[in-house]
Amino acid sequence: QVQLVESGGGSVQAGGSLRLSCVVFGDTYSPYCMGWFRQAPGKEREGAAIFYTGGGTPYYKDSVKGRFTISYDSAKNTLYLQMNSLKPEDTATYYCAADFRPAYCGSDRRGYNYWGPGTQVTVSS
């Protein structure tokens, strides 16, 4: 049984930084693809940053480019999201997602079959 557990959320002022972590628990190999999604109240869940564990350039949603950095530590089976220069519009619940099928690695939430419970990020102006 695979479980994803996020940590690192919190409340910060605009311009501040947070680092999210997501640990993959379970007797399993590394996921094919992992990502950070976010969902603000009344809005759909959107892909913020996607990481293909086989290499290549990560995907970033336009609004977070240059401010967020996604990374993966295979030895720890942990995904990170470094968020700098945070803005009030970044306020959302952030979810870690993973998929082990070597078929898709993108920002469509339907491509992921494992999800964490989410961690809240609140940015005040």
Side-chain angles (χ1 to χ4, degrees):
Q1 183 70 18
V2 175
Q3 287 187 318
L4 308 181
V5 179
E6 306 101 334
S7 61
S11 298
V12 296
Q13 290 191 327
S17 298
L18 285 173
R19 188 193 195 205
L20 306 183
S21 299
C22 170
V23 181
V24 181
F25 289 101
D27 185 14
T28 182
Y29 47 91
S30 292
Y32 176 80
C33 186
M34 296 193 73
W36 288 100
F37 289 73
R38 65 185 187 182
Q39 186 167 19
K43 295 188 177 181
E44 292 190 356
R45 193 172 299 187
E46 60 181 15
I50 307 297
F51 189 91
Y52 167 49
T53 61
T57 303
Y59 161 86
Y60 295 99
K61 182 177 175 60
D62 284 346
S63 59
V64 309
K65 283 181 181 178
R67 301 188 297 121
F68 289 11
T69 302
I70 188 171
S71 60
Y72 176 69
D73 186 332
S74 58
K76 297 180 179 180
N77 223 356
T78 300
L79 183 73
Y80 302 97
L81 185 67
Q82 178 66 44
M83 304 185 295
N84 299 328
S85 302
L86 282 162
K87 303 176 181 180
E89 50 264 43
D90 294 318
T91 295
T93 300
Y94 283 70
Y95 298 89
C96 174
D99 200 274
F100 294 82
R101 300 166 294 182
Y104 175 78
C105 192
S107 60
D108 188 336
R109 59 177 293 186
R110 294 170 297 180
Y112 297 83
N113 54 6
Y114 293 97
W115 292 85
T119 185
Q120 180 66 36
V121 172
T122 302
V123 185
S124 58
S125 57

